[in-house]
Amino acid sequence: MSATIERDGDVWVSSRTGTRWHVVCGLEVHAQLRTRTKLFCGCETSFGDPPNSRTCPVCTGQPGSLPVLNEEALALAVRAALAIGADVAPWSKFDRKNYFYCDIPKNYQISQFDRPYCTGGGIDLPSGRRIRLHRIHLEEDAGKAIHDRGTTTLVDLNRAGTPLIESVTEADVTSPEDAFDYLTALKEILIYVGASNADMEKGELRCDVNVSVHPAGEGWRTKVEVKNLNSFRNVAAALEHEILRQIQAYESGDESRYPVQETRLWDADKLVTRSMRSKEAADDYRYFTEPDLPPVTVSPSFLERQRGMLPELPAARRTRYVRELGLSAYDADVLVADRAVADFFEAAARISGRPKEAANWISNEVLRALGDAQTGASTIDDLPVKPHDLAELIELVAKGTIHTAAGRTVIREMLESGTAAAEVVERLGLEQVEDESQLEDWCRAALEGKDAIVADVKDGKEKALGALIGPVMQASGGKANPQKVREILKRLILES
Amino acid sequence: MASSDEELVRRTAELARLSITPAEAAHLAPQFARILEHFKTLSDVDLEGVEPTTGAFGLRDVLRADEPRASLTQDEALANAPERIEDFYSVPKTIGGDA
Amino acid sequence: MTVRFGGQVDAVALRNALDAGTGTVKDVVEECLARIAERDGELHAFTRVEAECARARAAELDAKRASGAALGALFGVPVALKANLCWKGGIADCSSKLLANYAPPYDATVVRRLLDADAVIVGTTNMDEFAMGSSTENSAHGPTSNPWDTERTPGGSSGGSAVAVAGGMVPIALGSDTGGSVRQPAALCGVHGLKPTYGRVSRYGLIAFGSSLDAVSPFARTIRDVARVLEVISGACDRDSTCLPLPPFEAPQPADPSRLAGFRVGVPKQCFPAELDAGVRACVESALQQLERIGCELVPIELPHAELAIPTYYVVATAEASSNLARYDGVGFGVRAGSELGLQEMFAATREAGFGEEVKRRILLGTYVLSAGYQDEWYGRAQHARTKILGDYLQAFEEVDLVAGPTSPCTAFRLGEKTADPIAMYQTDLLTVPASLAGLPAISVPCGTSAGLPVGLQLVAPAQEDGRLLRAAQAFELATDHHRALPPMLLGAQA
Ligand SMILES: [Mg+2]
Ligand SMILES: [Zn+2]
């Protein structure tokens, strides 16, 4: 019977044998570079276009066609490498990876083998652990084979030739949580530096996992590759499942069940991995230097130009927001998670000179408008409200022209219609009423029949005033200056 | 010629997706062995410290601006395809990938 | 008056006559089609004659001339294309069953440039399947015959283009030279064949055999025509990353084109091996003396790694070919077999049914030399050996301006003579592959006949010195009459 396996940190313990199992795992991530055109031809990169409408002689592998490298792809790849502190090779070259499949039109993929453009680097996780990168290389994507329609497999080559970077970690990942955190951080960096949109749903980020387990103190065992992981959650779930499957297999003592070197596919519906094919001797990619592409050198000046285009990275921003701008760690996280939001925040904070208020308005109001049917905006840049609009609102509140509650009405109106703050205030007549006699009228009305409260206040229980302020604000349509209302109520009660 | 040559030919043919018959393998194997024997001079020379020549004699950094060029129409792209269904290439049913 | 060119009129003369108002392009094209109709039944140089296309083009060009527009450098000149050059108007089947009826959806850069120069493409020519062979016998269309003796091969792989010119059917034709595929048939058919410096001419649209060796290469009856074609088709191309960023070639205009005073011509002893045919040796030795008479100094030199050339070439070329030809799998183009099988089985069935024996042999060889466990020993060593071969030339060119020797170790051999023995066939490339491996410009020029069959003199120049090469070839041409010799079958047509 299977043993119960329990977690003890990153160690998995068998209840039956007491064996302490360690996990060795590496991740391979393919990210689509954010270029207009493909890696080796002038076809526009494509998502959701009619099948085979974005292809040319080059990306369909027509006889006689030849590749020419897209400079922007190289630039973006270099920027991604710099962002994770990797070493960009002074020269690199392309190689052919030869294998037969219907979605790769030349039956070789142009990739990089023994001279990748980048090696090393790493990403620090929130847990404090560091995942080192082994290498990153540039390569072209395959097309799409569609298996679920009719009695044949259909092939769409729109995606063929799309520029990818494939990053491979060292075997530093020791838990499903590490994998999840690493992917989250990597995605954030890629988006930040503008190298990739990294949208998993569009296939712009794809992850494969290599995993093996071994008893503490023993050598590494057979590694299994898991593919078809279409979300970070699936990566973590598949990894957990695969770790348990492997441990159970070894614990069974039945050698025929032991893990073999193979590729398994994650079935996200059934929550299992299943064997796709055995690797053994089947793979012989016969890599050799691509004779159609001369080598690529990255000059120091090219490197510096790309470095100059790097924005401040998320981790550095987060720290600065907390230390220098006085934001809470939570607010800093929320803002930094999306580079566009962080940029919006910084602009609004700079213009208004009030970072805390800017952070509050953005996290409480502005972000709520995203994905909202009313605004139809999916990113902060789609909104009609720009940083200087928000800064204007912040100033109106700070000067006391309107109070915070009215501000909420104003910002919602701004987000819906794009109208400037001052204009909304004027149109809705939200400017605070400062006129003493008007305020006094509202206060007298509110005191009507509230003898108990009046008595309490006279007894020195000033807190009781709160119950009166609400009705006054209501009567004023939210326009009364609450500070003044409090003063007037107090005076009227004490005078009575 | 030993059957190990035939085995080598058969395995290489599999890699190259050539479904050669046993008779062909038997015919090709001795030729193959003779050709390689004839090429043995390559193994005799001292190539210590020599850089490889891979083509593209001296060229480097040949790059293209990220500017779109016209694609083919679907019909142009698919015109030579042996089998087509709607606007797709059609191939025998297969599951899963190969790489 | 009609312009006749049945072996007598070269392309530049033809173009100039048309420019001067003599005759029409229509006349030229009809004359050309008539010659093809008359001779190609016997020679079988063409895989397809695109008569209607050529006639429509002629009408278009005559109208252009009538409009007074400036005429291109090859205005009205009929051209034949080897069947491995992509042309929207034609079929580029590489003489392979697998690629039967392949209609490229784009033009090769060289095709575009020929058309921009107002040339008329009249058809596609026979070749060894995917350019693999030295006799034009490995063709799905059957063999091509040598006009000098129709029982013999024209050489290969560009035999069809060589014969289209040698047989007086077109003044110029394009072939491709990977290890001698233009120079060797040029020698065996008695015409000029130039392999330019690697990268001088764009490969975009040339269906690849060995990518690091392939060169689009012209055949012509005069050096003036060779130079004109090179002027038209050469120059930087933004669709071929290995194309040199140079302006189009310009033919040199020496004061005295018949003299080569002070030229030092290296004569490598390795180019005169024991197996060299005695008649070839005699012709080439007298050609070398001719070079001396026009002012050259002959310098004995060494190419010490020449014996590595054949294995190096066959390892590099087949390795690249095994990958280049992987795309012929029955998915995007070509003829599929085994539709009823699984995907991978369909690939194998398609390739098994579609490729001929020599192509399969080379794919196997190329796959093997790249495969795990063998790559270092074969492909890796070949790349290093290639550097040695290149080094031999670099050293030689410290001392000499050109290297000269025979193009082919033998004259045209009989059809079927070497088909059973791949190694014997590979040996015919012995003298042409070194320049291919080194990426150097090389030309074969007619230098006489032996037992009634043409012999070629090969000249090799340093990289990018295509001009020097043509200058020397032209001086030799002017000093001799060899290029005027016509095959017996054409002599009756001379009137
Ligand atoms: Mg990859
Ligand atoms: Zn394309």
Side-chain angles (χ1 to χ4, degrees):
Chain A
M1 264 331 321
S2 351
T4 317
I5 310 295
E6 275 169 11
R7 286 278 298 267
D8 175 10
D10 286 345
V11 180
W12 304 64
V13 188
S14 162
S15 62
R16 203 171 48 122
T17 60
T19 311
R20 296 175 63 79
W21 292 91
H22 285 235
V23 172
V24 178
C25 171
L27 303 183
E28 282 177 28
V29 177
H30 287 85
Q32 176 179 335
L33 294 171
R34 218 179 73 173
T35 55
R36 282 188 73 186
T37 66
K38 296 183 180 181
L39 187 54
F40 298 118
C41 67
C43 291
E44 288 185 68
T45 54
S46 165
F47 182 78
D49 289 310
N52 296 300
S53 63
R54 295 267 192 228
T55 69
C56 72
V58 179
C59 58
T60 55
Q62 295 291 322
S65 64
L66 296 168
V68 185
L69 180 61
N70 182 342
E71 181 167 25
E72 180 69 4
L74 179 66
L76 293 177
V78 164
R79 249 178 271 165
L82 292 173
I84 56 157
D87 297 321
V88 175
W91 77 274
S92 66
K93 68 179 177 79
F94 288 93
D95 301 278
R96 293 187 184 177
K97 178 180 182 179
N98 297 282
Y99 66 95
F100 283 83
Y101 196 61
C102 60
D103 62 5
I104 96 164
K106 303 185 291 295
N107 282 330
Y108 59 81
Q109 178 193 30
I110 304 179
S111 181
Q112 296 188 303
F113 181 55
D114 53 345
R115 286 272 172 181
Y117 84 94
C118 150
T119 52
I123 292 180
D124 295 307
L125 305 186
S127 66
R129 195 171 279 133
R130 179 172 176 81
I131 308 295
R132 289 167 304 153
L133 267 290
H134 176 59
R135 58 180 274 167
I136 311 181
H137 69 252
L138 265 163
E139 65 183 23
E140 58 177 345
D141 204 349
K144 207 164 66 184
I146 300 159
H147 306 293
D148 56 0
R149 261 199 261 170
T151 53
T152 67
T153 289
L154 304 177
V155 181
D156 174 9
L157 297 180
N158 280 350
R159 205 181 66 188
T162 300
L164 303 177
I165 44 174
E166 176 178 337
S167 54
V168 182
T169 69
E170 298 289 358
D172 287 349
V173 177
T174 52
S175 69
E177 296 77 18
D178 271 3
F180 187 92
D181 289 349
Y182 168 77
L183 290 168
T184 307
L186 178 66
K187 173 177 173 162
E188 194 176 70
I189 290 170
L190 291 174
I191 293 175
Y192 247 77
V193 302
S196 175
N197 289 327
D199 186 339
M200 253 189 149
E201 277 175 23
K202 290 186 181 169
E204 291 166 343
L205 200 73
R206 300 196 287 271
C207 177
D208 301 334
V209 173
N210 282 297
V211 58
S212 67
V213 299
H214 60 269
E218 291 186 16
W220 292 6
R221 294 192 177 182
T222 309
K223 115 188 144 176
V224 172
E225 186 181 29
V226 185
K227 287 180 177 258
N228 197 35
L229 303 165
N230 54 14
S231 72
F232 294 172
R233 258 170 232 301
N234 271 329
V235 173
L239 190 50
E240 169 142 16
H241 170 273
E242 185 58 24
I243 291 167
L244 291 171
R245 187 189 74 85
Q246 290 185 18
I247 295 174
Q248 296 285 12
Y250 288 123
E251 292 257 328
S252 75
D254 174 359
E255 283 192 30
S256 71
R257 282 185 56 196
Y258 281 14
V260 293
Q261 189 167 332
E262 62 175 351
T263 299
R264 299 178 71 86
L265 294 181
W266 172 244
D267 184 331
D269 296 325
K270 300 204 176 87
L271 303 180
V272 294
T273 62
R274 53 189 167 73
S275 181
M276 182 170 110
R277 68 198 164 107
S278 148
K279 277 213 156 182
E280 289 166 74
D283 286 339
D284 182 352
Y285 293 124
R286 286 160 286 134
Y287 280 103
F288 74 102
T289 303
E290 167 57 279
D292 290 332
L293 290 167
V296 175
T297 58
V298 171
S299 67
S301 65
F302 183 89
L303 207 58
E304 282 325 300
R305 206 160 56 244
Q306 297 313 318
R307 205 187 295 280
M309 285 189 225
L310 287 182
E312 185 185 21
L313 291 172
R317 270 193 169 184
R318 216 174 269 125
T319 313
R320 183 166 58 84
Y321 288 1
V322 173
R323 292 217 186 118
E324 292 175 25
L325 303 181
L327 304 195
S328 69
Y330 176 81
D331 277 349
D333 273 346
V334 169
L335 295 173
V336 167
D338 179 339
R339 180 182 166 189
V341 170
D343 289 346
F344 187 105
F345 157 72
E346 291 200 21
R350 185 166 29 80
I351 299 168
S352 66
R354 295 172 187 276
K356 272 183 157 164
E357 283 83 341
N360 283 336
W361 284 111
I362 292 170
S363 53
N364 294 333
E365 296 296 332
V366 177
L367 290 182
R368 251 186 234 167
L370 297 184
D372 174 315
Q374 208 125 47
T375 60
S378 56
T379 73
I380 200 163
D381 294 330
D382 299 339
L383 292 172
V385 173
K386 303 298 162 201
H388 66 263
D389 299 318
L390 180 62
E392 191 186 327
L393 174 69
I394 292 169
E395 267 165 67
L396 288 175
V397 175
K399 280 195 310 203
T401 312
I402 56 174
H403 60 78
T404 311
R408 275 194 276 276
T409 314
V410 174
I411 186 78
R412 281 168 199 171
E413 178 62 26
M414 290 166 72
L415 287 164
E416 265 172 46
S417 65
T419 319
E423 216 180 305
V424 178
V425 169
E426 198 185 312
R427 206 177 66 219
L428 300 184
L430 290 175
E431 223 165 302
Q432 291 192 107
V433 174
E434 311 274 351
D435 178 62
E436 294 276 342
S437 65
Q438 173 66 74
L439 290 173
E440 230 179 272
D441 287 349
W442 284 326
C443 289
R444 282 187 205 285
L447 284 167
E448 211 72 19
K450 297 285 181 343
D451 296 346
I453 296 174
V454 170
D456 281 351
V457 175
K458 281 190 167 170
D459 280 356
K461 294 180 186 158
E462 249 185 62
K463 260 194 175 170
L465 272 178
L468 294 169
I469 293 171
V472 174
M473 293 306 293
Q474 213 165 357
S476 74
K479 293 186 288 185
N481 179 336
Q483 210 50 50
K484 280 205 170 141
V485 170
R486 170 178 289 271
E487 282 164 21
I488 291 168
L489 282 169
K490 211 165 139 187
R491 174 166 56 76
L492 289 175
I493 290 170
L494 296 177
E495 280 171 3
S496 66
Chain B
M1 281 292 152
S3 65
S4 69
D5 288 336
E6 273 173 55
E7 173 58 18
L8 179 68
V9 166
R10 205 193 51 70
R11 253 188 306 134
T12 310
E14 203 175 290
L15 261 184
R17 296 299 183 275
L18 292 169
S19 62
I20 58 169
T21 62
E24 267 183 299
H27 170 69
L28 281 166
Q31 283 187 347
F32 209 64
R34 256 191 74 215
I35 293 170
L36 292 177
E37 182 57 37
H38 196 75
F39 289 180
K40 268 281 186 276
T41 41
L42 260 187
S43 319
D44 301 337
V45 289
D46 178 17
L47 297 170
E48 225 12 71
V50 180
E51 288 291 313
T53 296
T54 56
F57 306 92
L59 281 180
R60 57 192 177 101
D61 301 331
V62 179
L63 299 164
R64 171 180 69 79
D66 186 23
E67 283 157 13
R69 276 184 157 169
S71 291
L72 296 171
T73 64
Q74 289 164 303
D75 285 340
E76 284 171 328
L78 292 156
N80 283 290
E83 285 181 31
R84 165 181 179 169
I85 290 181
E86 293 162 28
D87 292 324
F88 295 95
Y89 302 89
S90 164
V91 298
K93 191 95 176 173
T94 167
I95 32 145
D98 244 58
Chain C
M1 174 194 145
T2 355
V3 183
R4 304 188 70 83
F5 67 90
Q8 299 93 331
V9 176
D10 64 66
V12 175
L14 184 62
R15 185 250 170 227
N16 290 346
L18 288 166
D19 194 27
T22 311
T24 62
V25 181
K26 181 171 181 290
D27 297 335
V28 171
V29 167
E30 292 305 335
E31 158 93 7
C32 168
L33 293 173
R35 296 292 178 178
I36 295 172
E38 175 194 327
R39 296 166 189 167
D40 204 43
E42 198 174 356
L43 296 175
H44 193 218
F46 284 85
T47 54
R48 289 172 64 100
V49 179
E50 305 290 352
E52 285 328 299
C53 190
R55 289 191 172 107
R57 175 81 173 156
E60 190 187 305
L61 291 173
D62 280 328
K64 177 172 181 175
R65 188 171 62 160
S67 76
L71 306 185
L74 289 171
F75 181 84
V77 175
V79 182
L81 296 179
K82 188 176 182 179
N84 61 354
L85 287 163
C86 290
W87 172 39
K88 265 187 185 169
I91 296 298
D93 68 3
C94 295
S95 289
S96 178
K97 263 197 296 185
L98 209 167
L99 212 45
N101 298 319
Y102 174 64
Y106 73 107
D107 282 332
T109 297
V110 292
V111 168
R112 186 93 312 279
R113 288 180 182 172
L114 286 176
L115 295 175
D116 287 347
D118 294 338
V120 181
I121 297 171
V122 295
T124 41
T125 61
N126 202 15
M127 56 187 282
D128 285 300
E129 184 181 5
F130 286 106
M132 295 180 180
S134 307
S135 66
T136 317
E137 290 169 289
N138 306 327
S139 164
H141 302 286
T144 296
S145 285
N146 192 315
W148 291 80
D149 177 351
T150 53
E151 302 288 298
R152 290 173 187 270
T153 86
S157 65
S158 311
S161 283
V163 172
V165 173
M169 295 182 276
V170 285
I172 52 178
L174 292 188
S176 65
D177 189 311
T178 304
S181 280
V182 160
R183 286 164 286 158
Q184 185 253 19
L188 270 48
C189 293
V191 295
H192 296 292
L194 165 73
K195 183 197 93 71
T197 301
Y198 182 82
R200 204 70 185 76
V201 177
S202 169
R203 290 187 294 121
Y204 187 73
L206 167 64
I207 298 180
F209 162 20
S211 310
S212 72
L213 300 152
D214 293 342
V216 178
S217 304
F219 292 99
R221 305 195 66 91
T222 68
I223 294 299
R224 186 168 67 156
D225 279 4
V226 171
R228 177 63 59 91
V229 178
L230 187 59
E231 286 175 337
V232 167
I233 64 174
S234 61
C237 170
D238 61 3
R239 291 178 185 271
D240 175 0
S241 308
T242 62
C243 192
L244 297 166
L246 296 174
F249 173 74
E250 269 184 69
Q253 306 289 338
D256 181 359
S258 68
R259 297 286 303 165
L260 283 174
F263 256 67
R264 291 169 63 84
V265 175
V267 183
K269 101 172 170 221
Q270 287 80 4
C271 287
F272 296 83
E275 58 265 46
L276 186 64
D277 175 274
V280 171
R281 183 187 298 266
C283 276
V284 171
E285 279 172 355
S286 97
L288 293 174
Q289 286 161 16
Q290 185 62 48
L291 284 173
E292 255 183 324
R293 279 198 290 278
I294 59 174
C296 296
E297 184 191 342
L298 300 183
V299 183
I301 59 162
E302 298 271 343
L303 295 173
H305 298 92
E307 60 164 0
L308 293 178
I310 288 283
T312 300
Y313 169 76
Y314 276 92
V315 168
V316 169
T318 60
E320 291 178 0
S322 72
S323 175
N324 285 329
L325 271 63
R327 74 190 65 198
Y328 306 110
D329 63 359
V331 177
F333 27 76
V335 179
R336 177 183 297 185
S339 281
E340 71 285 359
L341 306 171
L343 181 73
Q344 298 293 342
E345 292 75 16
M346 183 276 280
F347 291 163
T350 293
R351 293 161 64 76
E352 177 61 16
F355 288 138
E357 184 175 338
E358 180 61 23
V359 171
K360 282 186 223 169
R361 189 155 42 226
R362 295 202 195 185
I363 289 175
L364 280 177
L365 194 57
T367 303
Y368 171 76
V369 299
L370 285 175
S371 60
Y374 303 101
Q375 181 167 143
D376 289 348
E377 181 187 346
W378 291 106
Y379 182 70
R381 289 189 71 83
Q383 284 189 316
H384 290 88
R386 192 172 178 180
T387 307
K388 290 277 198 188
I389 290 162
L390 179 59
D392 283 357
Y393 278 107
L394 293 179
Q395 188 137 28
F397 287 126
E398 299 268 303
E399 266 189 83
V400 299
D401 302 301
L402 287 174
V403 171
T407 306
S408 161
C410 58
T411 55
F413 41 94
R414 290 184 184 284
L415 288 163
E417 187 179 325
K418 300 187 192 228
T419 42
D421 184 357
I423 292 175
M425 193 69 94
Y426 298 171
Q427 285 301 329
T428 65
D429 300 334
L430 182 67
L431 303 168
T432 45
V433 294
S436 298
L437 289 165
L440 305 176
I443 190 167
S444 180
V445 297
C447 71
T449 57
S450 164
L453 294 171
V455 174
L457 168 73
Q458 180 176 231
L459 301 174
V460 182
Q464 299 182 31
E465 296 289 354
D466 307 72
R468 183 193 300 173
L469 186 70
L470 291 184
R471 159 124 171 64
Q474 188 162 42
F476 181 79
E477 179 188 38
L478 290 173
T480 62
D481 265 335
H482 303 306
H483 67 288
R484 279 189 233 284
L486 289 177
M489 73 178 285
L490 290 193
L491 292 175
Q494 227 173 348

